[in-house]
Amino acid sequence: MVAGAGNNATHLSSLCSPTSCLYETPHANVPDEARRLLFEQISKRESRWHEDMSTLSDTWRTLNAGAPGIAYALLHFYRLSGASAYLVNALQLCELLSRHLYELQLPDEVEIERYPTSLFHSETGLWWVCALCYLEAGDWKRCESSLKNFVNSASSPTQVLDISLGLAGTLLASLNLREALLSSGQSSAILDALISRQSMELDSRLAYALEHETHSLTKTFAHGTAGIAFVLLRIAKDGKPSDLVFSVLRSLWLARTGDEISLAFRLSPEADDTSWGPSSWCNGVTGVVHLYVLAYQVLGDPEYLDIASRAAFFAGQQTHGHATSICCGTAGQAYAMFSMYNATHEPAWKQRGIEFSELTALRLLNFSQKSSSDRGLYKGDLGGGLLAIQSMQLSHPEMPVIYPIERR
């Protein structure tokens, strides 16, 4: 048993105590009406993008921070509300994206030639979103066309393994797309072949990299072994995962000290660290929560739930900084709390998730974000808007992209 186990009741009781208030001002509150207003402001703004090509051409074509993330969020909004206008706008945006693909800008910080298969930072994510939107609309012809483009893009050679930039991300997207196809009574032989091929490739290449220490992987979710292990566990839901998964799980719960970014997250509530990074989804402890929750659900070992609980407790106490995004801020922390509630049904985790959702909405309402990078799903205020409506309508919201799209 990991040191410190068995103290979860104490941790949970302190999550919602007055001394752990999330808000910047005493008794601050964001009622459902405020979150609904935030959601409406964001969704109305983004749903009009298809009307103005000059606006669209000034945006990015990546899922992480650009227009594909908008279409994906609109699909979420449609699933949650049933309002057909959201699906119509998502389809129109997909049409513009596919028609004017190479007119759209890419973020300067992303060297696209190095990451041709990246789900978050290349056109791979664009075709994935389009396939999901056309599938939802019952337009199988366009769905199949987008699916083929997705498979072609995802099949490009890459040396990168992580979720954000490499092989694990495209494999995760493929799994979610296959699940969506099956729920609609459809299937795709080329997608099944891609999943089979990339599953074996990811497993073998990770094994080689870890054995020979030829990699630059951290131990984080977006850029390291935590995210890769998460994807391998998704594949192993109906079977035994590879020994690599157990190796990664063991290495992560021992990574509680050190100054390197690969050891930046802490799995102990007593850890003394005041930087924002350790509590983020991308490079910190928030992402690790999702891994250990899934490990518990797949493998059934309560030790993994204990580790997830301690990681979530640490993430739930970090409220400094003003980042609100899914990737690096309070929206991502909210999803980690909801993930714990999904696994345990402990009301304290749900309450903490609601508090982070309200804090995210409060900050977004108080601090207007104007740049194009702030429009994105993972990097901008759109993620906060999606979280707001999910937390109002779903008992345990799940993180977009990482998990399949939910219905109300």
Side-chain angles (χ1 to χ4, degrees), residues 219 251 254-266:
K219 294 185 177 182
S251 71
L254 294 174
R256 292 181 291 175
T257 59
D259 298 324
E260 299 179 15
I261 186 61
S262 62
L263 303 179
F265 51 79
R266 303 290 189 264

Side-chain angles (χ1 to χ4, degrees), residues 153-165:
S153 182
S155 300
S156 301
T158 180
Q159 299 301 312
V160 186
L161 301 184
D162 66 44
I163 276 186
S164 178
L165 300 173

Side-chain angles (χ1 to χ4, degrees), residues 46 49 59-73 97 105-110 112 115 117-129 162-165 222-223 281-283 325-329 369 371-384 386 399-402:
E46 308 304 356
W49 278 28
T59 67
W60 299 335
R61 66 174 186 252
T62 68
L63 178 61
N64 187 53
I70 309 307
Y72 184 79
L97 286 168
Q105 297 178 358
L106 285 168
D108 293 338
E109 70 270 17
V110 175
I112 196 62
Y115 311 115
T117 68
S118 171
L119 174 65
F120 288 94
H121 297 285
S122 80
E123 64 189 61
T124 301
L126 183 156
W127 294 122
W128 178 70
V129 171
D162 66 44
I163 276 186
S164 178
L165 300 173
H223 302 291
W281 166 80
C282 56
N283 289 314
S325 68
I326 292 176
C327 181
C328 309
Q369 301 185 13
S371 70
S372 59
S373 64
D374 292 323
R375 294 170 177 164
L377 178 64
Y378 261 57
K379 289 290 191 179
D381 56 6
L382 184 63
L386 177 57
M399 194 167 177
V401 180
I402 302 303

Side-chain angles (χ1 to χ4, degrees), residues 38-76:
L38 170 69
F39 158 69
E40 289 176 354
Q41 289 174 342
I42 295 173
S43 61
K44 285 180 180 178
R45 183 192 70 198
E46 308 304 356
S47 65
R48 290 195 297 267
W49 278 28
H50 71 276
E51 299 173 2
D52 187 355
M53 188 59 210
S54 64
T55 300
L56 182 63
S57 62
D58 288 335
T59 67
W60 299 335
R61 66 174 186 252
T62 68
L63 178 61
N64 187 53
I70 309 307
Y72 184 79
L74 289 170
L75 179 57
H76 263 283

Side-chain angles (χ1 to χ4, degrees), residues 2 249 253 267 288 292 302-312:
V2 178
L249 291 171
W253 78 56
L267 300 187
V288 176
Y292 281 99
E303 185 174 41
Y304 296 135
L305 184 61
D306 176 76
I307 297 169
S309 176
R310 293 191 292 118

Side-chain angles (χ1 to χ4, degrees), residues 202-241:
L202 182 62
D203 192 89
S204 63
R205 287 179 58 187
L206 178 62
Y208 182 88
L210 294 178
E211 180 181 355
H212 297 278
E213 298 184 350
T214 59
H215 62 91
S216 58
L217 291 169
T218 68
K219 294 185 177 182
T220 61
F221 199 97
H223 302 291
T225 54
I228 297 173
F230 179 89
V231 176
L232 293 175
L233 276 169
R234 279 286 305 273
I235 299 169
K237 273 190 173 182
D238 297 322
K240 184 179 181 295

Side-chain angles (χ1 to χ4, degrees), residues 34-352:
R35 282 189 285 166
R36 187 175 293 109
L37 175 62
L38 170 69
F39 158 69
E40 289 176 354
Q41 289 174 342
I42 295 173
S43 61
K44 285 180 180 178
R45 183 192 70 198
E46 308 304 356
S47 65
R48 290 195 297 267
W49 278 28
H50 71 276
E51 299 173 2
D52 187 355
M53 188 59 210
S54 64
T55 300
L56 182 63
S57 62
D58 288 335
T59 67
W60 299 335
R61 66 174 186 252
T62 68
L63 178 61
N64 187 53
I70 309 307
Y72 184 79
L74 289 170
L75 179 57
H76 263 283
F77 295 157
Y78 169 70
R79 283 279 188 99
L80 292 169
S81 69
S84 60
Y86 292 127
L87 180 58
V88 170
N89 287 325
L91 293 170
Q92 290 174 329
L93 187 51
C94 284
E95 183 68 19
L96 282 176
L97 286 168
S98 56
R99 188 186 308 157
H100 300 281
L101 174 62
Y102 297 105
E103 297 175 20
L104 306 183
Q105 297 178 358
L106 285 168
D108 293 338
E109 70 270 17
V110 175
E111 300 177 51
I112 196 62
E113 66 275 4
R114 291 183 58 195
Y115 311 115
T117 68
S118 171
L119 174 65
F120 288 94
H121 297 285
S122 80
E123 64 189 61
T124 301
L126 183 156
W127 294 122
W128 178 70
V129 171
C130 289
L132 288 170
C133 289
Y134 289 130
L135 178 65
E136 186 69 29
D139 189 340
W140 177 242
K141 182 177 180 181
R142 282 189 170 88
C143 174
E144 191 173 33
S145 175
S146 297
L147 194 155
K148 289 178 179 177
N149 286 329
F150 165 75
V151 170
N152 288 338
S153 182
S155 300
S156 301
T158 180
Q159 299 301 312
V160 186
L161 301 184
D162 66 44
I163 276 186
S164 178
L165 300 173
L167 189 59
T170 57
L171 181 53
L172 178 63
S174 298
L175 293 169
N176 288 342
L177 181 53
R178 181 168 67 179
E179 187 168 322
L181 287 169
L182 292 174
S183 67
S184 299
Q186 301 285 353
S187 62
S188 169
I190 61 171
L191 183 64
D192 290 342
L194 176 69
I195 291 172
S196 177
R197 182 172 67 252
Q198 291 193 332
S199 298
M200 292 186 291
E201 182 181 0
L202 182 62
D203 192 89
S204 63
R205 287 179 58 187
L206 178 62
Y208 182 88
L210 294 178
E211 180 181 355
H212 297 278
E213 298 184 350
T214 59
H215 62 91
S216 58
L217 291 169
T218 68
K219 294 185 177 182
T220 61
F221 199 97
H223 302 291
T225 54
I228 297 173
F230 179 89
V231 176
L232 293 175
L233 276 169
R234 279 286 305 273
I235 299 169
K237 273 190 173 182
D238 297 322
K240 184 179 181 295
S242 69
D243 291 339
L244 284 175
V245 171
F246 294 100
S247 176
V248 171
L249 291 171
R250 285 192 298 270
S251 71
L252 286 173
W253 78 56
L254 294 174
R256 292 181 291 175
T257 59
D259 298 324
E260 299 179 15
I261 186 61
S262 62
L263 303 179
F265 51 79
R266 303 290 189 264
L267 300 187
S268 169
E270 293 76 26
D272 181 17
D273 195 302
T274 58
S275 64
W276 180 257
S279 60
S280 68
W281 166 80
C282 56
N283 289 314
V285 71
T286 298
V288 176
V289 173
H290 296 281
L291 169 62
Y292 281 99
V293 165
L294 182 62
Y296 167 70
Q297 292 170 333
V298 173
L299 303 172
D301 188 338
E303 185 174 41
Y304 296 135
L305 184 61
D306 176 76
I307 297 169
S309 176
R310 293 191 292 118
F313 179 85
F314 176 81
Q317 297 300 309
Q318 311 306 307
T319 62
H320 44 274
H322 292 284
T324 58
S325 68
I326 292 176
C327 181
C328 309
T330 51
Q333 288 169 282
Y335 283 118
M337 302 302 109
F338 287 128
S339 181
M340 282 301 303
Y341 175 71
N342 187 26
T344 66
H345 300 291
E346 291 281 353
W349 293 120
K350 182 176 182 179
Q351 178 59 32
R352 199 57 161 182

